[in-house]
Amino acid sequence: MVTVNLTINGKEYSGETEPRMLLVHFIRDVLKLKGTHIGCDTGHCGACTIQWDGKPVKSCQILAVQAQGANLKTVEGLEGPNGELSIEQESFREKFALQCGYCTSGFLMMTNYLIRNNEEMTREEIREKLHGNYCMCTGYQQIVDAVQDAQRKYFAQKK
Ligand code: FES
Ligand code: FES
């Protein structure tokens, strides 16, 4: 077993893992942060998307031991200090951009990154940038609506 020390959502964590364990399993099963989901384990669906140094990564494509000393953010890190919803969460709620919710944490982590790292995106650009995230309930229209809404709110907040 190997001890992995890392930071998630600004908090330090430490856990034991076998060298072959995937980061997504480590986050969920060892550190008990269950907001990050596993949809495929093969890098296709995006349900396991988290952020590493502010950039989105699929945590099923990384070994837990590779994350030694890493600075990660998961969906649990989106809410405000008093539990208030983030811009992205608010937009997904208002635009009905979730059905079963299984894909939602991955979409939220991508949205959080996209609205902060792009100029105003068109619907086509949003669709293109979300191509690594699947929604098995096929709610893409509302998801694109929500990303546009979150983007508007983010730019308004910056002014
Ligand atoms: S679980 Fe990682 S991409 Fe599907
Ligand atoms: S809301 Fe069900 S998979 Fe996306």
Side-chain angles (χ1 to χ4, degrees):
M1 298 293 271
V2 181
T3 303
V4 174
N5 303 300
L6 73 180
T7 304
I8 305 181
N9 306 325
K11 198 173 146 197
E12 288 180 12
Y13 287 86
S14 183
E16 299 280 308
T17 175
E18 288 183 21
R20 64 180 179 171
M21 183 179 261
L22 297 175
L23 181 57
V24 65
H25 293 295
F26 183 71
I27 291 171
R28 286 178 53 83
D29 301 335
V30 179
L31 304 182
K32 306 295 182 197
L33 294 167
K34 302 278 189 180
T36 303
H37 290 164
I38 308 160
C40 65
D41 256 4
T42 56
H44 289 94
C45 76
C48 64
T49 304
I50 61 169
Q51 291 177 10
W52 182 315
D53 284 338
K55 298 220 173 72
V57 293
K58 291 180 174 176
S59 57
C60 75
Q61 297 298 288
I62 300 166
L63 293 170
V65 291
Q66 292 176 288
Q68 186 72 262
N71 179 25
L72 309 182
K73 184 170 174 178
T74 64
V75 70
E76 288 88 350
L78 290 184
E79 68 176 27
N82 299 312
E84 57 272 31
L85 296 182
S86 67
I87 287 175
E88 304 80 20
Q89 290 168 316
E90 197 59 62
S91 295
F92 270 64
R93 187 182 70 82
E94 283 173 9
K95 299 294 175 185
F96 305 103
L98 55 139
Q99 295 175 65
C100 77
Y102 203 84
C103 66
T104 308
S105 55
F107 273 106
L108 286 170
M109 296 313 288
M110 271 305 291
T111 304
N112 178 270
Y113 171 79
L114 289 176
I115 64 176
R116 285 163 181 74
N117 290 279
N118 285 284
E119 296 303 314
E120 200 154 335
M121 297 172 283
T122 64
R123 290 184 76 81
E124 290 66 37
E125 285 167 341
I126 291 170
R127 280 183 179 277
E128 170 60 27
K129 290 179 192 300
L130 290 176
H131 74 274
N133 290 72
Y134 293 174
C135 174
M136 265 67 86
C137 299
T138 69
Y140 293 106
Q141 295 292 349
Q142 291 91 333
I143 289 170
V144 175
D145 289 347
V147 177
Q148 276 196 311
D149 188 64
Q151 179 175 245
R152 268 186 231 113
K153 287 192 177 111
Y154 177 69
F155 286 134
Q157 202 182 59
K158 277 209 316 183
K159 279 181 191 161

